[in-house]
């Protein structure tokens, strides 16, 4: 069972999400929170696998709560799935930096909600090409990343190539087609990239690729 905590200041949103997710055979909603500080307290009590975290909440917003929750000061951290009104939310870049595993639009369908929870619980990132574009634009606005590098430290050439494609928000299937290799081979490379670089998931890999100059805005 995937244990889920829902953090949103709108009671109707929490109730709707809870009703649907609780009907799934592999998902259990263990609690709710109305603001970021309560989300931290409830997460410490309930130890969920995934936290659905709204960005705009009173007392402590979702970005601050995500950063604190994933800081390493609270034991084993859950995966955080950010709830947004728009996929080009101003907080995309900082939420990724804070360690969020993905983004979900509040108007997503019930099936998309359940699948999103499963995806991040499995250790994958949920980042659309549109969100990646927003991330690239943010780097460009900030003046770009460090000088470009040819290979990430500690990675083989193929692993570096896979990381570059991950940074374009390509799926394993799409990367496999681009490199003309088996999808299982791509999954192996992705796992090694995350392990060698000490990254939690693909979301962190995207941030790493741009911050180190491995991929450049507009490149």
């Amino acid at each position: 069972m995937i244990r889920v905590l829902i953090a949103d200041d709108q009671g109707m949103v929490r109730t709707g999400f809870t009703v649907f997710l609780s009907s799934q055979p592999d998902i259990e909603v263990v609690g709710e929170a109305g603001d970021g500080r309560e989300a931290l307290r409830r997460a410490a009590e309930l130890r969920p696998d995934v936290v659905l975290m709204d960005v705009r909440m009173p007392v402590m917003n979702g970005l601050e709560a995500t950063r604190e929750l994933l800081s390493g000061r609270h034991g084993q951290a859950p995966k955080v799935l950010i709830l947004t009104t728009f996929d080009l939310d101003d907080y995309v870049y900082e939420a990724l930096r804070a360690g969020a595993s993905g983004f979900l639009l509040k108007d997503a369908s019930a099936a998309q909600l359940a699948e999103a929870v499963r995806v991040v619980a499995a250790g994958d990132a949920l980042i659309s090409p549109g969100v990646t574009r927003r991330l690239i634009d943010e780097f460009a606005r900030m003046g770009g990343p460090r000088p470009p590098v040819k290979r990430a430290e500690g990675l083989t050439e193929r692993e570096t190539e896979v990381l570059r494609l991950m940074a374009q928000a390509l799926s394993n299937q799409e990367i496999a087609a681009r490199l003309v290799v088996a999808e299982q081979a791509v999954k192996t490379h992705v796992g090694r990239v995350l392990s060698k670089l000490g990254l939690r998931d693909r979301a962190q890999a995207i941030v790493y690729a741009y911050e180190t100059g491995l991929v450049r805005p507009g490149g």
Side-chain angles (χ1 to χ4, degrees):
M1 294 291 287
I2 302 172
R3 296 166 54 81
V4 176
L5 171 67
I6 299 173
D8 194 294
D9 63 338
Q10 299 181 45
M12 290 184 65
V13 171
R14 296 198 306 271
T15 299
F17 284 176
T18 296
V19 169
F20 175 72
L21 290 177
S22 296
S23 70
Q24 301 300 299
D26 58 339
I27 298 175
E28 177 188 8
V29 177
V30 296
E32 300 178 10
D35 60 66
R37 193 168 299 283
E38 185 181 7
L40 290 178
R41 184 169 60 253
R42 297 289 281 162
E45 296 171 355
L46 302 170
R47 298 298 178 188
D49 301 305
V50 176
V51 176
L52 290 180
M53 185 82 76
D54 187 24
V55 172
R56 297 177 177 86
M57 293 188 291
V59 184
M60 175 185 285
N61 66 44
L63 182 60
E64 294 173 314
T66 296
R67 184 179 295 112
E68 178 63 25
L69 188 61
L70 303 180
S71 66
R73 293 190 290 268
H74 303 277
Q76 182 66 34
K79 305 292 184 181
V80 175
L81 185 58
I82 297 291
L83 298 172
T84 64
T85 304
F86 305 103
D87 61 348
L88 301 186
D89 193 289
D90 290 340
Y91 292 104
V92 165
Y93 172 74
E94 291 193 31
L96 284 174
R97 288 292 307 275
S101 293
F103 302 85
L104 182 70
L105 295 181
K106 283 192 174 181
D107 62 357
S109 69
Q112 289 173 327
L113 170 63
E115 183 58 23
V117 168
R118 295 184 182 107
V119 166
V120 298
D124 289 327
L126 191 75
I127 307 177
S128 70
V131 169
T132 301
R133 181 71 253 173
R134 177 69 180 85
L135 176 62
I136 295 170
D137 290 344
E138 183 69 12
F139 273 109
R141 186 187 68 78
M142 296 174 64
R146 300 185 180 91
V149 296
K150 292 184 178 180
R151 184 190 298 182
E153 184 176 356
L155 300 186
T156 65
E157 288 186 11
R158 177 46 62 92
E159 289 165 352
T160 299
E161 192 173 14
V162 168
L163 176 55
R164 286 196 178 99
L165 295 175
M166 289 167 63
Q168 296 175 36
L170 297 184
S171 66
N172 286 350
Q173 185 176 18
E174 291 168 330
I175 294 174
R178 185 75 64 88
L179 299 180
V180 194
V181 298
E183 187 174 347
Q184 184 57 48
V186 174
K187 290 181 65 175
T188 298
H189 288 310
V190 169
R192 287 174 178 167
V193 167
L194 298 180
S195 177
K196 287 183 177 181
L197 298 179
L199 303 175
R200 182 182 299 109
D201 52 34
R202 296 171 88 104
Q204 287 195 333
I206 288 177
V207 173
Y208 176 91
Y210 283 99
E211 289 194 330
T212 59
L214 188 66
V215 178
R216 293 186 295 170

